[in-house]
Amino acid sequence: MRTVVCEEKIRLCTQRCLALAINKAMTAAENENWFATLKENEDKVRLKNPNFAVIKEGHTRISQCDFQAVLKILYYRKNYRETTFPELHPKEKDKVQSVLLSVIDFRNSEIAHKPVLEEKDFVPGEYSYDNAILDMLYLLHFFPEIQGPAPRSEEEYDEEAEIICYYDEATKVFEQYKAEGGQRDYVMENVIQKYRLNISLEQCCEACDRLNIVRFYPKEAGKWYFSSADIEKDVSAIKAYSRTQKPATKKKLPYILLAGIVITLIVLSTVVSGITKLIKNLFNTDSSKIDSATKAQIQEEIDNFASDFGNTYYLTLGENHKPQAAVWLNGGSDNTCYSTNEDVVTATSGGIVKAVGEGEAFVVIRSGKMFKVYKYIVSK
């Protein structure tokens, strides 16, 4: 599991759980209108200095608050923190306050403006994603009984969503993360340069697809990434795969012999072209019938499609991919490439597939009677 995916899932559970914990504690201590009182006080603070307010202007209930606002209520407003958390001894109180500040600072510096977790050199003692994950689990363990709608994002709140226990859900995510190994994100170009891989960016993408290494192209970053739990192991696998794909070195032919071969091929091509046209005229070949038959075969393959290695790909929104059969599209006016659902993926005449919406779609690449069907599954 990617580290950023694990962090995001646990963060959403923490946000919803703490918001409900604050609401439950403050309603019991004051009344159901406690947030109106908080809003009134924050409006006064905002008039003096907008930077000191802990909630956004216009918010009227705790469910509207994002993760940062929930954390700030608990950290900067002592009475709300002490009312929300159960009776703690002084050292535990200090730890809760310290953890809240660490997560606030981490969200500001690492999460708020970065779409991906780009791997960087490890600095001993530096607060990282793994530290944030453990700290959020620490905050959650105080409220193991709180349940609510499953979160989708910091901004969305759907009361009709499936009801979950936030602490249990976050624990499951963390256990899966530990079992699979945390995957960091690496910029492909940097990896190619750092490990001196004698391959192009396109070849690296192809190797990742063949080796089931997750790759993606976030629009915000404008470059290809791949995720790895063991970069040394995956780089070795990419090197090994690339070596098997390089064509064997061929002996150079003398220029005179090479020129003779080229002239012969041109003459043969002209003769074959003439014969082909003659046969078409003699038998009056109906190309529409051939197209209909091919279409029927393509539809039959789609109806009975069986996923296997090399014909099914998982993309994220905005990601591009070029399947292997796209090489057929390099020449010939009869070659085609199309998507069965352009709301999910689009396909260019050159065979580049782009994920534009969530769902499933097939991409068909055809050259004459030959065709290849690929399945694409797109998610956020």
Side-chain angles (χ1 to χ4, degrees):
M1 179 187 292
R2 289 177 62 206
T3 301
V4 287
V5 171
C6 174
E7 185 278 331
E8 181 184 25
K9 289 182 176 181
I10 292 178
R11 174 172 19 108
L12 294 177
C13 286
T14 306
Q15 175 191 348
R16 296 288 184 241
C17 183
L18 293 180
L20 289 175
I22 294 171
N23 186 60
K24 180 180 178 181
M26 295 306 300
T27 300
E30 297 181 6
N31 54 57
E32 293 182 354
N33 296 321
W34 69 270
F35 195 87
T37 304
L38 171 65
K39 179 182 180 303
E40 184 180 347
N41 292 334
E42 293 306 307
D43 287 341
K44 294 176 182 177
V45 172
R46 191 174 289 106
L47 289 173
K48 295 180 179 179
N49 191 330
N51 295 326
F52 291 164
V54 297
I55 63 174
K56 293 181 180 179
E57 191 173 5
H59 283 179
T60 58
R61 56 186 184 278
I62 188 69
S63 61
Q64 294 176 315
C65 295
D66 61 10
F67 188 47
Q68 194 74 329
V70 171
L71 293 174
K72 284 183 175 181
I73 291 172
L74 292 172
Y75 180 76
Y76 290 107
R77 303 297 179 255
K78 182 178 179 181
N79 59 316
Y80 290 90
R81 181 174 68 252
E82 294 189 345
T83 303
T84 300
F85 283 86
E87 291 296 328
L88 303 175
H89 56 76
K91 287 186 177 180
E92 196 77 55
K93 286 182 179 180
D94 291 342
K95 182 176 180 180
V96 168
Q97 189 174 4
S98 174
V99 165
L100 287 168
L101 181 58
S102 295
V103 179
I104 288 172
D105 290 342
F106 180 74
R107 187 187 180 282
N108 282 338
S109 61
E110 296 295 330
I111 301 172
H113 308 295
K114 295 185 180 180
V116 294
L117 165 62
E118 185 174 330
E119 183 62 14
K120 56 185 179 182
D121 294 335
F122 175 72
V123 179
E126 186 178 76
Y127 194 89
S128 67
Y129 270 76
D130 289 315
N131 296 116
I133 288 169
L134 292 175
D135 278 349
M136 288 187 289
L137 289 171
Y138 169 75
L139 295 173
L140 280 170
H141 97 276
F142 288 103
F143 313 103
E145 77 290 347
I146 289 185
Q147 300 181 355
R152 292 180 182 149
S153 70
E154 285 194 28
E155 293 76 24
E156 293 181 65
Y157 186 80
D158 185 359
E159 293 183 354
E160 297 181 359
E162 175 191 3
I163 300 301
I164 62 170
C165 173
Y166 296 112
Y167 176 70
D168 289 347
E169 182 67 21
T171 303
K172 288 177 186 176
V173 171
F174 184 62
E175 291 301 323
Q176 181 185 353
Y177 174 68
K178 288 196 298 181
E180 295 178 1
Q183 293 183 335
R184 261 47 177 195
D185 298 332
Y186 296 82
V187 180
M188 276 194 192
E189 292 177 351
N190 293 352
V191 172
I192 292 172
Q193 183 177 7
K194 180 178 180 180
Y195 292 92
R196 298 179 181 177
L197 302 178
N198 189 25
I199 58 175
S200 66
L201 189 61
E202 291 74 16
Q203 289 172 322
C204 189
C205 288
E206 180 185 348
C208 288
D209 291 340
R210 291 294 182 182
L211 298 170
N212 288 328
I213 298 173
V214 175
R215 66 182 177 92
F216 54 99
Y217 188 92
K219 290 181 180 179
E220 300 87 345
K223 48 192 172 183
W224 279 104
Y225 288 76
F226 71 82
S227 300
S228 174
D230 188 337
I231 186 62
E232 301 290 342
K233 178 181 177 182
D234 285 338
V235 166
S236 297
I238 291 172
K239 282 183 178 178
Y241 174 81
S242 300
R243 282 195 294 268
T244 65
Q245 301 304 303
K246 290 182 179 179
T249 304
K250 297 181 180 179
K251 294 181 179 179
K252 295 182 179 179
L253 293 173
Y255 289 117
I256 296 176
L257 179 57
L258 183 60
I261 291 173
V262 171
I263 293 171
T264 303
L265 289 174
I266 292 173
V267 172
L268 286 174
S269 175
T270 304
V271 172
V272 170
S273 176
I275 293 173
T276 302
K277 289 179 181 178
L278 177 62
I279 291 173
K280 284 185 177 181
N281 291 332
L282 287 173
F283 293 96
N284 192 23
T285 303
D286 188 351
S287 61
S288 64
K289 291 182 180 179
I290 296 174
D291 288 343
S292 297
T294 305
K295 285 180 181 178
Q297 292 176 352
I298 291 171
Q299 188 58 50
E300 182 180 359
E301 180 158 335
I302 290 175
D303 293 339
N304 301 292
F305 188 84
S307 293
D308 60 32
F309 183 73
N311 72 358
T312 303
Y313 296 97
Y314 294 82
L315 302 182
T316 55
L317 288 177
E319 186 176 357
N320 294 333
H321 179 251
K322 190 172 184 179
Q324 195 170 13
V327 296
W328 295 351
L329 303 169
N330 292 338
S333 59
D334 191 37
N335 302 341
T336 56
C337 176
Y338 64 90
S339 166
T340 60
N341 188 348
E342 293 198 339
D343 291 333
V344 177
V345 296
T346 58
T348 67
S349 59
I352 297 175
V353 179
K354 182 173 183 178
V356 295
E358 291 185 89
E360 298 181 3
F362 293 95
V363 168
V364 180
I365 297 176
R366 184 179 67 86
S367 177
K369 289 186 177 181
M370 294 191 306
F371 65 86
K372 179 69 176 178
V373 178
Y374 294 95
K375 184 177 183 178
Y376 286 88
I377 301 170
V378 181
S379 65
K380 288 184 180 179

